[in-house]
Amino acid sequence: MENKLCFSVYGELYVVDLDRMLYFEADDHYTHVYYSSGTHFMIPFGLAKVEAALSNKGRAGDAFLRLGRKYIVNIRRVFHVNAVKQVAVLADDHGTNYTLRLPKPVLRMLMEDISGKPQITTLLLFTSYAADERTSVYFRVCLCLKKTNNVKL
């Protein structure tokens, strides 16, 4: 059962086939499971337990990435990420798109993970100083790598 997660509780067994997975979605102490076939069901475990089970799966769990507090996605199913509009779009086997709304830093991390290289972010910096009794405002555009959380200039 290399590509399956098994969860048991109170005499019940929940089997999650990782080869068919699209994404997991947190819902309080439950997790919604979305398959690429369009099947959707809920398991009575939190997303943290699912994440721990995935980390124990080795290579089978490598295709999954935790995105914020709400999602774990199969990055092989992501076909569009837009950090400006704050969405990631996944596709199932039938051509149905699933749009997930996520914060910009999380989406930039996803973009970096998928592409394998740091994302370049454009920052607009404002510098003002007094010269000849006038205050001038200059705009400088600076490129910085996403890898650095603390931008120092």
Side-chain angles (χ1 to χ4, degrees):
M1 294 185 84
E2 167 84 21
N3 292 334
K4 296 186 189 287
L5 296 179
C6 294
F7 300 98
S8 62
V9 63
Y10 303 119
E12 293 182 81
L13 178 68
Y14 296 89
V15 180
V16 177
D17 186 354
L18 296 179
D19 292 330
R20 298 173 52 201
M21 278 304 306
L22 197 58
Y23 68 97
F24 297 95
E25 181 180 14
D27 184 9
D28 201 17
H29 297 293
Y30 298 92
T31 298
H32 293 271
V33 178
Y34 292 87
Y35 279 160
S36 58
S37 63
T39 302
H40 162 250
F41 59 94
M42 188 174 65
I43 58 175
F45 300 97
L47 203 58
K49 184 158 184 165
V50 173
E51 183 178 27
L54 281 169
S55 67
N56 292 332
K57 278 304 194 183
R59 292 184 57 84
D62 289 346
F64 295 90
L65 184 65
R66 177 79 182 250
L67 297 178
R69 299 174 66 186
K70 193 166 182 174
Y71 299 106
I72 297 176
V73 300
N74 183 346
I75 59 174
R76 294 181 186 138
R77 293 292 182 160
V78 176
F79 76 90
H80 180 74
V81 180
N82 187 328
V84 175
K85 293 184 179 179
Q86 296 183 315
V87 295
V89 185
L90 293 80
D92 68 9
D93 293 339
H94 304 291
T96 303
N97 296 338
Y98 295 82
T99 302
L100 310 178
R101 297 199 51 77
L102 294 157
K104 289 177 186 179
V106 172
L107 291 168
R108 288 190 182 108
M109 179 197 64
L110 174 62
M111 291 166 62
E112 183 176 311
D113 195 73
I114 291 172
S115 68
K117 58 185 175 183
Q119 295 301 305
I120 295 177
T121 308
T122 303
L123 297 177
L124 188 59
L125 304 173
F126 299 92
T127 306
S128 64
Y129 66 92
D132 299 301
E133 305 294 316
R134 295 182 303 203
T135 301
S136 302
V137 177
Y138 291 91
F139 300 100
R140 295 185 320 174
V141 176
C142 169
L143 295 177
C144 73
L145 297 178
K146 186 258 170 212
K147 286 263 185 204
T148 58
N149 292 334
N150 300 327
V151 178
K152 296 178 183 173
L153 299 174

